[in-house]
Amino acid sequence: MKMLCIDGGGIRGVMPIAVLQEIERELGQSVGESFDVIAGTSTGAIIAASTAVGKPMEDVLHSYKTAGAKIFMRQAKVGFFKSVYSDRYLRRLLKKAFGEVTLADISKQLLIPAVDITHGKPFIHRSNPTNRENDDVSIKLWDAVLSSCSAPIYFPPNNVRNRYLSIDGGLWANNPSLVCITEAVHHLKESLEDIRILSLGTGDQNIDFSIDSEKYWGVKQWLPFQIPSFKVTPKLLDLALNLSSESVSYHCQLLLRDNYLRINKALGGEVPFDDIAFMEEMIKVGKQVYDQNRTEIMDFLQG
């Protein structure tokens, strides 16, 4: 069973999109056709959902380029009294991209981690193939994706049909690879030996929390902001997401060994998930990463 897993990471999602775009060029077909299961968290949920419904990665990358500045348009300087960004444009974009498609309409096995903060629990949006009693497959695809993208402080929680509030799945599964392993073993009755995962990261950051003279840490250290603009940097959230991804990757490599192919790259510094200035650079990184790992990726897909 071949599984594609895509990390969260905001605007850095253009990196795995660039990798998938190169794969499509090489194979001459939609990348989703090469996988039995597709999973994505946060920005990875957008990419995974697009892959599951057969959208060309070239079109997805174009959407990121044209919509990024509008999605990350600040409505609050710091986010003390309201979210830094409105989800209005992101919601509109997802509705336009996925229309009236529900989870039940998707023939591909799709997994989208999110967090139900109303009931205080993680959960997974699943497409129709599992069809278990506790899965609500009538939810619109755009609604499920938006649920996984709602990073706390930066975007408001997503109100899912007035039943519960949902936030970013990256808080517990920024790298959804373990979600895929659990799904395959416990629900699809696959053995570990038969599970093969291609895991795409959004860049391994070097987030600097240097020792300084400050004894009492507060918002200024965890979420640094610049004066006089009061532009806040999502340092703490980026750290949490990065740690989540790399710890999951470590455990998956122990479980699956050579059947786990992790494609990521050390960025050598901080690339905040909401800074669109890094978009072109991250696209170049994605293409470089593909070129550097082309043989391994093709062997994985053709094996």
Side-chain angles (χ1 to χ4, degrees), residues 236-293:
L236 177 59
L237 186 55
D238 264 335
L239 175 66
L241 300 182
N242 194 66
L243 291 173
S244 171
S245 286
E246 294 312 308
S247 62
V248 165
S249 180
Y250 171 77
H251 288 98
C252 288
Q253 286 170 339
L254 290 178
L255 288 169
L256 301 184
R257 299 184 182 275
D258 292 340
N259 283 347
Y260 186 73
L261 179 57
R262 174 72 168 168
I263 304 297
N264 205 9
K265 185 175 179 63
L267 300 179
E270 298 179 13
V271 181
F273 71 80
D274 61 343
D275 196 336
I276 62 172
F278 289 96
M279 198 182 306
E280 289 300 327
E281 179 181 341
M282 292 301 298
I283 293 171
K284 291 179 182 177
V285 169
K287 292 179 178 179
Q288 291 169 359
V289 165
Y290 175 78
D291 289 339
Q292 292 165 359
N293 296 275

Side-chain angles (χ1 to χ4, degrees), residues 47-62:
I47 304 165
S50 300
T51 302
V53 298
K55 288 185 178 294
M57 288 298 103
E58 183 178 1
D59 293 349
V60 179
L61 185 58
H62 177 73

Side-chain angles (χ1 to χ4, degrees), residues 159-193:
N159 184 333
V160 183
R161 301 195 293 191
N162 288 320
R163 295 180 181 177
Y164 56 88
L165 297 176
S166 179
I167 61 173
D168 197 335
L171 294 181
W172 70 280
N174 199 56
N175 174 349
S177 295
L178 274 179
V179 170
C180 276
I181 291 176
T182 302
E183 190 77 10
V185 171
H186 292 281
H187 301 302
L188 303 178
K189 307 305 179 184
E190 296 284 338
S191 66
L192 277 177
E193 293 75 18

